[in-house]
């Protein structure tokens, strides 16, 4: 049986107190529930939230890893405003690179993303690399690729499981990526149909990760 990979992407949402509250509610919900399989769960949050989340995750004993949503393409030094990979690795295990919102709103190019991947890799971060289709180049060293069609992100219109499976099959063939997940309007209603596809190793929910109820419901939907 494949190990399912779920990465919640909070994007630019939540204050520290909201993030802590999310964890406490999630802990209460999950404490009475046994999953048949143990998915690998990563929560990708704003830089300011990572340290308080880390402390609370360890206090509550929740099996969730943390991820950042961006990393500097440079190492330590005179790069005002940037957070470098070594700094992230002190707190988190994963980083999302190349999300379509970074490409669109922050003009991140394939070349810049390649530099980010190199920085993240050398610091030992796990990399979730997002691509909008099966023609976008995937750097060889990433750990997980996320296929996220731009038109499906935050729109409530997901890709079909069958098409996502076929795109992901191509991505796996072309890029040699080990694990490829699907993102774009994943909900508790549709998550099981994506996971049921043979090529799809997990999901990257945005909106559905924002409340502990809906995120928990995703996990429940995978367990039935
Ligand atoms: P969505 O976001 O689930 O809200 O569509 C997914 C993403 O952007 O990673």
């Amino acid at each position: 049986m494949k190990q399912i990979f779920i990465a919640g992407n909070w994007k630019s949402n939540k204050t520290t107190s909201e993030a802590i509250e999310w964890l406490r509610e999630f802990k209460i919900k999950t404490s009475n529930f046994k999953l048949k399989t143990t998915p690998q769960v990563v929560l990708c949050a704003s830089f300011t939230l990572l340290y308080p989340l880390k402390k609370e995750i360890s206090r509550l004993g929740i099996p969730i890893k943390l991820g950042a949503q961006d990393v500097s393409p440079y190492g330590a030094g005179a790069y005002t405003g940037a957070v470098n990979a070594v700094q992230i690795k002190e707190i988190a295990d994963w980083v999302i690179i190349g999300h379509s919102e970074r490409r669109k709103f922050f003009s991140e190019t394939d070349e810049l993303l390649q530099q980010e991947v190199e920085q993240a890799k050398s610091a030992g971060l796990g990399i979730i690399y997002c691509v909008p289709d099966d023609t976008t180049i995937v750097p060889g060293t990433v750990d997980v690729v996320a296929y996220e069609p731009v038109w499906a992100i935050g729109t409530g219109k997901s890709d079909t499981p069958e098409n996502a499976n076929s795109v992901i099959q191509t991505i796996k063939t072309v890029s040699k990526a080990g694990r490829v997940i699907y993102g774009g309007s994943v909900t508790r209603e549709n998550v099981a149909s994506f996971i049921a596809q043979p090529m799809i190793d997990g999901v990257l929910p945005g909106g559905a990760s924002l409340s502990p109820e809906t995120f928990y419901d995703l996990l429940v939907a995978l367990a039935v």
Side-chain angles (χ1 to χ4, degrees):
M1 188 181 280
K2 61 186 168 190
Q3 200 203 16
I4 297 165
F5 186 93
I6 302 183
N9 178 12
W10 281 358
K11 310 193 179 187
S12 188
N13 288 295
K14 297 197 187 296
T15 61
T16 305
S17 60
E18 288 167 349
I20 299 301
E21 192 52 33
W22 189 104
L23 281 183
R24 290 181 185 165
E25 286 177 27
F26 185 75
K27 167 76 179 178
I28 292 167
K29 285 204 148 286
T30 48
S31 51
N32 294 321
F33 182 73
K34 286 271 168 293
L35 293 166
K36 277 196 209 138
T37 57
T38 313
Q40 192 173 356
V41 182
V42 180
L43 200 52
C44 299
S46 302
F47 290 128
T48 52
L49 303 177
L50 292 175
Y51 187 62
L53 281 172
K54 181 187 165 83
K55 280 201 301 187
E56 192 66 8
I57 282 172
S58 107
R59 193 181 75 79
L60 294 172
I62 305 176
I64 286 183
K65 298 283 187 195
L66 285 173
Q69 302 168 356
D70 177 39
V71 58
S72 174
Y74 307 108
Y79 304 101
T80 301
V83 180
N84 71 56
V86 172
Q87 292 173 316
I88 295 172
K89 185 64 177 109
E90 283 191 309
I91 309 171
D93 292 303
W94 289 87
V95 62
I96 296 175
I97 295 180
H99 192 280
S100 64
E101 289 151 14
R102 299 294 313 171
R103 294 176 193 261
K104 178 177 172 192
F105 298 116
F106 302 92
S107 308
E108 295 193 349
T109 60
D110 286 342
E111 293 70 39
L112 185 100
L113 296 173
Q114 174 70 43
Q115 278 177 254
E116 293 185 7
V117 166
E118 283 161 22
Q119 289 293 327
K121 198 74 206 168
S122 65
L125 285 165
I127 298 168
I128 303 165
Y129 194 82
C130 300
V131 294
D133 52 42
D134 53 15
T135 61
T136 304
I137 308 240
V138 176
T141 48
V142 306
D143 302 280
V144 174
V145 177
Y147 159 56
E148 296 208 302
V150 175
W151 49 265
I153 294 177
T155 60
K157 294 190 188 110
S158 65
D159 201 347
T160 62
E162 295 74 22
N163 191 59
N165 188 65
S166 130
V167 173
I168 285 174
Q169 180 159 29
T170 308
I171 291 171
K172 283 187 171 174
T173 310
V174 174
S175 72
K176 307 279 180 284
R179 284 190 290 178
V180 185
I181 63 177
Y182 168 77
S185 297
V186 170
T187 63
R188 63 183 158 194
E189 287 80 21
N190 66 22
V191 66
S193 62
F194 286 106
I195 295 301
Q197 295 292 327
M199 291 293 149
I200 303 181
D201 298 302
V203 286
L204 179 44
S209 71
L210 284 175
S211 104
E213 284 80 20
T214 52
F215 196 65
Y216 168 78
D217 285 349
L218 287 181
L219 299 181
V220 174
L222 294 176
V224 292

mmCIF file of all heavy atoms in Angstrom, residues 163-209:
data_model
loop_
_atom_site.group_PDB
_atom_site.id
_atom_site.type_symbol
_atom_site.label_atom_id
_atom_site.label_comp_id
_atom_site.label_asym_id
_atom_site.label_seq_id
_atom_site.Cartn_x
_atom_site.Cartn_y
_atom_site.Cartn_z
ATOM 1 N N ASN A 163 -7.711 12.553 -15.275
ATOM 2 C CA ASN A 163 -6.756 13.405 -15.981
ATOM 3 C C ASN A 163 -5.531 13.680 -15.114
ATOM 4 O O ASN A 163 -4.400 13.667 -15.598
ATOM 5 C CB ASN A 163 -7.408 14.721 -16.419
ATOM 6 C CG ASN A 163 -6.508 15.479 -17.366
ATOM 7 O OD1 ASN A 163 -6.152 14.974 -18.432
ATOM 8 N ND2 ASN A 163 -6.058 16.669 -16.972
ATOM 9 N N ALA A 164 -5.774 13.946 -13.808
ATOM 10 C CA ALA A 164 -4.639 14.186 -12.907
ATOM 11 C C ALA A 164 -3.719 12.965 -12.909
ATOM 12 O O ALA A 164 -2.487 13.100 -12.942
ATOM 13 C CB ALA A 164 -5.147 14.470 -11.497
ATOM 14 N N ASN A 165 -4.299 11.779 -12.918
ATOM 15 C CA ASN A 165 -3.508 10.556 -12.933
ATOM 16 C C ASN A 165 -2.647 10.474 -14.191
ATOM 17 O O ASN A 165 -1.457 10.144 -14.129
ATOM 18 C CB ASN A 165 -4.439 9.345 -12.863
ATOM 19 C CG ASN A 165 -3.684 8.058 -12.672
ATOM 20 O OD1 ASN A 165 -3.047 7.855 -11.642
ATOM 21 N ND2 ASN A 165 -3.728 7.185 -13.669
ATOM 22 N N SER A 166 -3.249 10.860 -15.314
ATOM 23 C CA SER A 166 -2.497 10.754 -16.565
ATOM 24 C C SER A 166 -1.392 11.815 -16.653
ATOM 25 O O SER A 166 -0.272 11.527 -17.093
ATOM 26 C CB SER A 166 -3.502 10.774 -17.718
ATOM 27 O OG SER A 166 -3.173 11.675 -18.678
ATOM 28 N N VAL A 167 -1.686 13.039 -16.186
ATOM 29 C CA VAL A 167 -0.640 14.084 -16.173
ATOM 30 C C VAL A 167 0.501 13.649 -15.245
ATOM 31 O O VAL A 167 1.687 13.774 -15.576
ATOM 32 C CB VAL A 167 -1.228 15.445 -15.712
ATOM 33 C CG1 VAL A 167 -0.118 16.476 -15.527
ATOM 34 C CG2 VAL A 167 -2.267 15.952 -16.699
ATOM 35 N N ILE A 168 0.132 13.117 -14.106
ATOM 36 C CA ILE A 168 1.139 12.703 -13.125
ATOM 37 C C ILE A 168 1.977 11.535 -13.647
ATOM 38 O O ILE A 168 3.188 11.466 -13.427
ATOM 39 C CB ILE A 168 0.453 12.402 -11.765
ATOM 40 C CG1 ILE A 168 0.088 13.743 -11.107
ATOM 41 C CG2 ILE A 168 1.325 11.543 -10.856
ATOM 42 C CD1 ILE A 168 -0.710 13.655 -9.835
ATOM 43 N N GLN A 169 1.338 10.662 -14.401
ATOM 44 C CA GLN A 169 2.100 9.566 -15.025
ATOM 45 C C GLN A 169 3.183 10.130 -15.941
ATOM 46 O O GLN A 169 4.329 9.686 -15.928
ATOM 47 C CB GLN A 169 1.155 8.669 -15.811
ATOM 48 C CG GLN A 169 1.872 7.518 -16.482
ATOM 49 C CD GLN A 169 0.919 6.378 -16.826
ATOM 50 O OE1 GLN A 169 -0.265 6.607 -17.076
ATOM 51 N NE2 GLN A 169 1.411 5.167 -16.818
ATOM 52 N N THR A 170 2.808 11.145 -16.740
ATOM 53 C CA THR A 170 3.798 11.775 -17.624
ATOM 54 C C THR A 170 4.896 12.442 -16.805
ATOM 55 O O THR A 170 6.090 12.320 -17.118
ATOM 56 C CB THR A 170 3.114 12.816 -18.537
ATOM 57 O OG1 THR A 170 2.013 12.202 -19.174
ATOM 58 C CG2 THR A 170 4.079 13.381 -19.563
ATOM 59 N N ILE A 171 4.500 13.170 -15.756
ATOM 60 C CA ILE A 171 5.506 13.837 -14.915
ATOM 61 C C ILE A 171 6.481 12.805 -14.351
ATOM 62 O O ILE A 171 7.701 13.010 -14.363
ATOM 63 C CB ILE A 171 4.822 14.629 -13.768
ATOM 64 C CG1 ILE A 171 4.060 15.830 -14.328
ATOM 65 C CG2 ILE A 171 5.857 15.089 -12.727
ATOM 66 C CD1 ILE A 171 3.188 16.554 -13.321
ATOM 67 N N LYS A 172 5.952 11.687 -13.908
ATOM 68 C CA LYS A 172 6.827 10.650 -13.332
ATOM 69 C C LYS A 172 7.785 10.079 -14.374
ATOM 70 O O LYS A 172 8.942 9.813 -14.094
ATOM 71 C CB LYS A 172 5.984 9.511 -12.735
ATOM 72 C CG LYS A 172 5.381 9.874 -11.396
ATOM 73 C CD LYS A 172 4.684 8.691 -10.739
ATOM 74 C CE LYS A 172 4.299 9.046 -9.313
ATOM 75 N NZ LYS A 172 3.514 8.027 -8.645
ATOM 76 N N THR A 173 7.273 9.926 -15.599
ATOM 77 C CA THR A 173 8.118 9.368 -16.653
ATOM 78 C C THR A 173 9.213 10.345 -17.061
ATOM 79 O O THR A 173 10.382 9.985 -17.179
ATOM 80 C CB THR A 173 7.247 9.048 -17.889
ATOM 81 O OG1 THR A 173 6.131 8.298 -17.455
ATOM 82 C CG2 THR A 173 8.030 8.274 -18.927
ATOM 83 N N VAL A 174 8.812 11.605 -17.223
ATOM 84 C CA VAL A 174 9.764 12.603 -17.748
ATOM 85 C C VAL A 174 10.761 13.027 -16.673
ATOM 86 O O VAL A 174 11.953 13.203 -16.947
ATOM 87 C CB VAL A 174 9.001 13.835 -18.293
ATOM 88 C CG1 VAL A 174 9.967 14.932 -18.712
ATOM 89 C CG2 VAL A 174 8.110 13.427 -19.451
ATOM 90 N N SER A 175 10.273 13.221 -15.453
ATOM 91 C CA SER A 175 11.143 13.837 -14.435
ATOM 92 C C SER A 175 11.824 12.810 -13.536
ATOM 93 O O SER A 175 12.709 13.156 -12.776
ATOM 94 C CB SER A 175 10.325 14.759 -13.538
ATOM 95 O OG SER A 175 9.492 13.997 -12.695
ATOM 96 N N LYS A 176 11.373 11.556 -13.581
ATOM 97 C CA LYS A 176 11.890 10.528 -12.668
ATOM 98 C C LYS A 176 11.554 10.843 -11.212
ATOM 99 O O LYS A 176 12.191 10.345 -10.298
ATOM 100 C CB LYS A 176 13.414 10.335 -12.820
ATOM 101 C CG LYS A 176 13.875 10.073 -14.252
ATOM 102 C CD LYS A 176 13.673 8.611 -14.648
ATOM 103 C CE LYS A 176 14.117 8.308 -16.049
ATOM 104 N NZ LYS A 176 13.220 8.775 -17.108
ATOM 105 N N ALA A 177 10.554 11.706 -11.006
ATOM 106 C CA ALA A 177 10.159 12.032 -9.634
ATOM 107 C C ALA A 177 9.569 10.799 -8.978
ATOM 108 O O ALA A 177 8.773 10.085 -9.586
ATOM 109 C CB ALA A 177 9.125 13.147 -9.644
ATOM 110 N N GLY A 178 9.965 10.562 -7.744
ATOM 111 C CA GLY A 178 9.469 9.390 -7.028
ATOM 112 C C GLY A 178 8.011 9.549 -6.639
ATOM 113 O O GLY A 178 7.176 8.715 -6.941
ATOM 114 N N ARG A 179 7.721 10.658 -5.958
ATOM 115 C CA ARG A 179 6.354 10.862 -5.491
ATOM 116 C C ARG A 179 5.773 12.111 -6.135
ATOM 117 O O ARG A 179 6.394 13.172 -6.141
ATOM 118 C CB ARG A 179 6.331 11.025 -3.976
ATOM 119 C CG ARG A 179 6.497 9.685 -3.275
ATOM 120 C CD ARG A 179 6.234 9.794 -1.799
ATOM 121 N NE ARG A 179 7.292 10.533 -1.130
ATOM 122 C CZ ARG A 179 7.288 10.803 0.176
ATOM 123 N NH1 ARG A 179 6.301 10.417 0.941
ATOM 124 N NH2 ARG A 179 8.281 11.464 0.711
ATOM 125 N N VAL A 180 4.561 11.976 -6.659
ATOM 126 C CA VAL A 180 3.878 13.129 -7.259
ATOM 127 C C VAL A 180 2.470 13.206 -6.688
ATOM 128 O O VAL A 180 1.739 12.201 -6.661
ATOM 129 C CB VAL A 180 3.841 13.056 -8.801
ATOM 130 C CG1 VAL A 180 3.231 14.339 -9.372
ATOM 131 C CG2 VAL A 180 5.234 12.852 -9.380
ATOM 132 N N ILE A 181 2.107 14.401 -6.218
ATOM 133 C CA ILE A 181 0.805 14.599 -5.584
ATOM 134 C C ILE A 181 -0.027 15.577 -6.414
ATOM 135 O O ILE A 181 0.499 16.244 -7.312
ATOM 136 C CB ILE A 181 0.961 15.082 -4.128
ATOM 137 C CG1 ILE A 181 1.655 16.458 -4.059
ATOM 138 C CG2 ILE A 181 1.765 14.073 -3.309
ATOM 139 C CD1 ILE A 181 1.760 17.026 -2.636
ATOM 140 N N TYR A 182 -1.309 15.643 -6.083
ATOM 141 C CA TYR A 182 -2.212 16.539 -6.812
ATOM 142 C C TYR A 182 -2.676 17.672 -5.899
ATOM 143 O O TYR A 182 -2.997 17.439 -4.729
ATOM 144 C CB TYR A 182 -3.449 15.780 -7.335
ATOM 145 C CG TYR A 182 -4.497 16.749 -7.833
ATOM 146 C CD1 TYR A 182 -4.344 17.374 -9.077
ATOM 147 C CD2 TYR A 182 -5.587 17.114 -7.028
ATOM 148 C CE1 TYR A 182 -5.263 18.319 -9.493
ATOM 149 C CE2 TYR A 182 -6.510 18.058 -7.463
ATOM 150 C CZ TYR A 182 -6.328 18.660 -8.699
ATOM 151 O OH TYR A 182 -7.216 19.623 -9.122
ATOM 152 N N GLY A 183 -2.773 18.896 -6.447
ATOM 153 C CA GLY A 183 -3.342 20.024 -5.709
ATOM 154 C C GLY A 183 -4.220 20.859 -6.606
ATOM 155 O O GLY A 183 -3.973 20.988 -7.811
ATOM 156 N N GLY A 184 -5.255 21.455 -6.013
ATOM 157 C CA GLY A 184 -6.199 22.300 -6.747
ATOM 158 C C GLY A 184 -7.615 21.903 -6.393
ATOM 159 O O GLY A 184 -8.153 20.946 -6.927
ATOM 160 N N SER A 185 -8.200 22.659 -5.423
ATOM 161 C CA SER A 185 -9.587 22.425 -4.992
ATOM 162 C C SER A 185 -9.830 21.001 -4.501
ATOM 163 O O SER A 185 -10.852 20.392 -4.806
ATOM 164 C CB SER A 185 -10.565 22.805 -6.115
ATOM 165 O OG SER A 185 -10.464 24.198 -6.391
ATOM 166 N N VAL A 186 -8.860 20.500 -3.735
ATOM 167 C CA VAL A 186 -9.065 19.203 -3.079
ATOM 168 C C VAL A 186 -10.016 19.416 -1.895
ATOM 169 O O VAL A 186 -9.862 20.353 -1.119
ATOM 170 C CB VAL A 186 -7.717 18.627 -2.582
ATOM 171 C CG1 VAL A 186 -7.929 17.408 -1.694
ATOM 172 C CG2 VAL A 186 -6.832 18.265 -3.764
ATOM 173 N N THR A 187 -11.010 18.550 -1.787
ATOM 174 C CA THR A 187 -11.992 18.645 -0.697
ATOM 175 C C THR A 187 -12.176 17.275 -0.057
ATOM 176 O O THR A 187 -11.717 16.261 -0.590
ATOM 177 C CB THR A 187 -13.373 19.080 -1.235
ATOM 178 O OG1 THR A 187 -13.838 18.054 -2.130
ATOM 179 C CG2 THR A 187 -13.313 20.412 -1.960
ATOM 180 N N ARG A 188 -12.920 17.280 1.061
ATOM 181 C CA ARG A 188 -13.190 15.978 1.693
ATOM 182 C C ARG A 188 -14.032 15.103 0.778
ATOM 183 O O ARG A 188 -13.980 13.884 0.865
ATOM 184 C CB ARG A 188 -13.862 16.160 3.045
ATOM 185 C CG ARG A 188 -15.212 16.811 2.958
ATOM 186 C CD ARG A 188 -15.795 17.027 4.338
ATOM 187 N NE ARG A 188 -16.791 18.084 4.288
ATOM 188 C CZ ARG A 188 -17.292 18.690 5.341
ATOM 189 N NH1 ARG A 188 -16.870 18.375 6.528
ATOM 190 N NH2 ARG A 188 -18.197 19.618 5.220
ATOM 191 N N GLU A 189 -14.806 15.749 -0.109
ATOM 192 C CA GLU A 189 -15.662 14.968 -1.016
ATOM 193 C C GLU A 189 -14.847 14.298 -2.130
ATOM 194 O O GLU A 189 -15.184 13.199 -2.561
ATOM 195 C CB GLU A 189 -16.730 15.853 -1.663
ATOM 196 C CG GLU A 189 -17.858 16.274 -0.732
ATOM 197 C CD GLU A 189 -17.475 17.434 0.181
ATOM 198 O OE1 GLU A 189 -16.507 18.168 -0.156
ATOM 199 O OE2 GLU A 189 -18.109 17.601 1.236
ATOM 200 N N ASN A 190 -13.814 14.971 -2.623
ATOM 201 C CA ASN A 190 -13.112 14.404 -3.790
ATOM 202 C C ASN A 190 -11.762 13.760 -3.461
ATOM 203 O O ASN A 190 -11.158 13.115 -4.314
ATOM 204 C CB ASN A 190 -12.958 15.459 -4.900
ATOM 205 C CG ASN A 190 -12.050 16.620 -4.523
ATOM 206 O OD1 ASN A 190 -11.210 16.504 -3.637
ATOM 207 N ND2 ASN A 190 -12.206 17.756 -5.199
ATOM 208 N N VAL A 191 -11.271 13.936 -2.223
ATOM 209 C CA VAL A 191 -9.895 13.500 -1.945
ATOM 210 C C VAL A 191 -9.686 11.999 -2.180
ATOM 211 O O VAL A 191 -8.673 11.587 -2.759
ATOM 212 C CB VAL A 191 -9.461 13.919 -0.513
ATOM 213 C CG1 VAL A 191 -10.254 13.191 0.564
ATOM 214 C CG2 VAL A 191 -7.973 13.705 -0.319
ATOM 215 N N ALA A 192 -10.660 11.184 -1.788
ATOM 216 C CA ALA A 192 -10.473 9.731 -1.926
ATOM 217 C C ALA A 192 -10.375 9.320 -3.391
ATOM 218 O O ALA A 192 -9.643 8.384 -3.740
ATOM 219 C CB ALA A 192 -11.611 8.987 -1.234
ATOM 220 N N SER A 193 -11.091 10.050 -4.265
ATOM 221 C CA SER A 193 -11.053 9.667 -5.689
ATOM 222 C C SER A 193 -9.683 9.979 -6.308
ATOM 223 O O SER A 193 -9.258 9.301 -7.244
ATOM 224 C CB SER A 193 -12.179 10.353 -6.465
ATOM 225 O OG SER A 193 -12.020 11.743 -6.412
ATOM 226 N N PHE A 194 -8.987 10.996 -5.790
ATOM 227 C CA PHE A 194 -7.624 11.252 -6.285
ATOM 228 C C PHE A 194 -6.659 10.178 -5.774
ATOM 229 O O PHE A 194 -5.865 9.639 -6.543
ATOM 230 C CB PHE A 194 -7.144 12.646 -5.860
ATOM 231 C CG PHE A 194 -7.801 13.749 -6.641
ATOM 232 C CD1 PHE A 194 -8.785 14.545 -6.073
ATOM 233 C CD2 PHE A 194 -7.460 13.979 -7.971
ATOM 234 C CE1 PHE A 194 -9.412 15.543 -6.802
ATOM 235 C CE2 PHE A 194 -8.081 14.968 -8.711
ATOM 236 C CZ PHE A 194 -9.063 15.751 -8.127
ATOM 237 N N ILE A 195 -6.776 9.889 -4.499
ATOM 238 C CA ILE A 195 -5.851 8.919 -3.903
ATOM 239 C C ILE A 195 -6.050 7.518 -4.493
ATOM 240 O O ILE A 195 -5.106 6.725 -4.569
ATOM 241 C CB ILE A 195 -6.057 8.884 -2.367
ATOM 242 C CG1 ILE A 195 -5.661 10.232 -1.764
ATOM 243 C CG2 ILE A 195 -5.258 7.770 -1.719
ATOM 244 C CD1 ILE A 195 -4.242 10.643 -2.005
ATOM 245 N N ALA A 196 -7.278 7.232 -4.946
ATOM 246 C CA ALA A 196 -7.559 5.910 -5.519
ATOM 247 C C ALA A 196 -6.826 5.691 -6.847
ATOM 248 O O ALA A 196 -6.689 4.560 -7.305
ATOM 249 C CB ALA A 196 -9.066 5.749 -5.721
ATOM 250 N N GLN A 197 -6.376 6.768 -7.472
ATOM 251 C CA GLN A 197 -5.672 6.641 -8.755
ATOM 252 C C GLN A 197 -4.262 6.080 -8.524
ATOM 253 O O GLN A 197 -3.580 6.502 -7.577
ATOM 254 C CB GLN A 197 -5.555 8.012 -9.439
ATOM 255 C CG GLN A 197 -6.886 8.618 -9.835
ATOM 256 C CD GLN A 197 -7.561 7.847 -10.956
ATOM 257 O OE1 GLN A 197 -6.897 7.296 -11.829
ATOM 258 N NE2 GLN A 197 -8.881 7.800 -10.929
ATOM 259 N N PRO A 198 -3.821 5.177 -9.387
ATOM 260 C CA PRO A 198 -2.556 4.490 -9.097
ATOM 261 C C PRO A 198 -1.314 5.385 -9.078
ATOM 262 O O PRO A 198 -0.358 5.092 -8.356
ATOM 263 C CB PRO A 198 -2.454 3.455 -10.237
ATOM 264 C CG PRO A 198 -3.413 3.907 -11.288
ATOM 265 C CD PRO A 198 -4.505 4.641 -10.580
ATOM 266 N N MET A 199 -1.316 6.465 -9.863
ATOM 267 C CA MET A 199 -0.107 7.300 -9.958
ATOM 268 C C MET A 199 -0.043 8.407 -8.903
ATOM 269 O O MET A 199 0.990 9.040 -8.721
ATOM 270 C CB MET A 199 -0.039 7.970 -11.340
ATOM 271 C CG MET A 199 0.222 7.017 -12.472
ATOM 272 S SD MET A 199 1.892 6.356 -12.314
ATOM 273 C CE MET A 199 1.643 4.755 -13.024
ATOM 274 N N ILE A 200 -1.162 8.677 -8.236
ATOM 275 C CA ILE A 200 -1.243 9.849 -7.350
ATOM 276 C C ILE A 200 -0.867 9.455 -5.923
ATOM 277 O O ILE A 200 -1.506 8.600 -5.316
ATOM 278 C CB ILE A 200 -2.653 10.479 -7.404
ATOM 279 C CG1 ILE A 200 -2.995 10.856 -8.853
ATOM 280 C CG2 ILE A 200 -2.737 11.687 -6.483
ATOM 281 C CD1 ILE A 200 -4.360 11.517 -9.031
ATOM 282 N N ASP A 201 0.178 10.085 -5.415
ATOM 283 C CA ASP A 201 0.730 9.691 -4.114
ATOM 284 C C ASP A 201 0.224 10.528 -2.946
ATOM 285 O O ASP A 201 0.605 10.273 -1.800
ATOM 286 C CB ASP A 201 2.261 9.789 -4.162
ATOM 287 C CG ASP A 201 2.843 8.846 -5.199
ATOM 288 O OD1 ASP A 201 2.603 7.634 -5.099
ATOM 289 O OD2 ASP A 201 3.504 9.325 -6.152
ATOM 290 N N GLY A 202 -0.565 11.554 -3.237
ATOM 291 C CA GLY A 202 -1.043 12.385 -2.140
ATOM 292 C C GLY A 202 -1.690 13.647 -2.674
ATOM 293 O O GLY A 202 -1.946 13.766 -3.885
ATOM 294 N N VAL A 203 -1.949 14.577 -1.760
ATOM 295 C CA VAL A 203 -2.652 15.806 -2.151
ATOM 296 C C VAL A 203 -2.056 17.023 -1.453
ATOM 297 O O VAL A 203 -1.411 16.909 -0.405
ATOM 298 C CB VAL A 203 -4.160 15.714 -1.813
ATOM 299 C CG1 VAL A 203 -4.882 14.802 -2.788
ATOM 300 C CG2 VAL A 203 -4.394 15.290 -0.379
ATOM 301 N N LEU A 204 -2.321 18.180 -2.053
ATOM 302 C CA LEU A 204 -1.862 19.469 -1.509
ATOM 303 C C LEU A 204 -3.076 20.382 -1.362
ATOM 304 O O LEU A 204 -3.372 21.187 -2.248
ATOM 305 C CB LEU A 204 -0.817 20.073 -2.466
ATOM 306 C CG LEU A 204 -0.157 21.417 -2.197
ATOM 307 C CD1 LEU A 204 0.269 21.584 -0.752
ATOM 308 C CD2 LEU A 204 1.071 21.589 -3.066
ATOM 309 N N PRO A 205 -3.816 20.251 -0.256
ATOM 310 C CA PRO A 205 -4.997 21.098 -0.091
ATOM 311 C C PRO A 205 -4.635 22.487 0.442
ATOM 312 O O PRO A 205 -3.828 22.614 1.362
ATOM 313 C CB PRO A 205 -5.837 20.331 0.934
ATOM 314 C CG PRO A 205 -4.853 19.528 1.713
ATOM 315 C CD PRO A 205 -3.676 19.270 0.829
ATOM 316 N N GLY A 206 -5.227 23.522 -0.144
ATOM 317 C CA GLY A 206 -5.057 24.888 0.354
ATOM 318 C C GLY A 206 -6.233 25.234 1.243
ATOM 319 O O GLY A 206 -6.182 25.095 2.460
ATOM 320 N N GLY A 207 -7.344 25.643 0.610
ATOM 321 C CA GLY A 207 -8.542 26.047 1.355
ATOM 322 C C GLY A 207 -8.984 25.006 2.371
ATOM 323 O O GLY A 207 -9.363 25.350 3.504
ATOM 324 N N ALA A 208 -8.913 23.731 1.994
ATOM 325 C CA ALA A 208 -9.400 22.675 2.896
ATOM 326 C C ALA A 208 -8.464 22.417 4.072
ATOM 327 O O ALA A 208 -8.787 21.624 4.953
ATOM 328 C CB ALA A 208 -9.631 21.381 2.116
ATOM 329 N N SER A 209 -7.302 23.081 4.091
ATOM 330 C CA SER A 209 -6.404 22.903 5.235
ATOM 331 C C SER A 209 -6.592 24.008 6.272
ATOM 332 O O SER A 209 -6.037 23.936 7.370
ATOM 333 C CB SER A 209 -4.937 22.893 4.772
ATOM 334 O OG SER A 209 -4.533 24.180 4.364
#
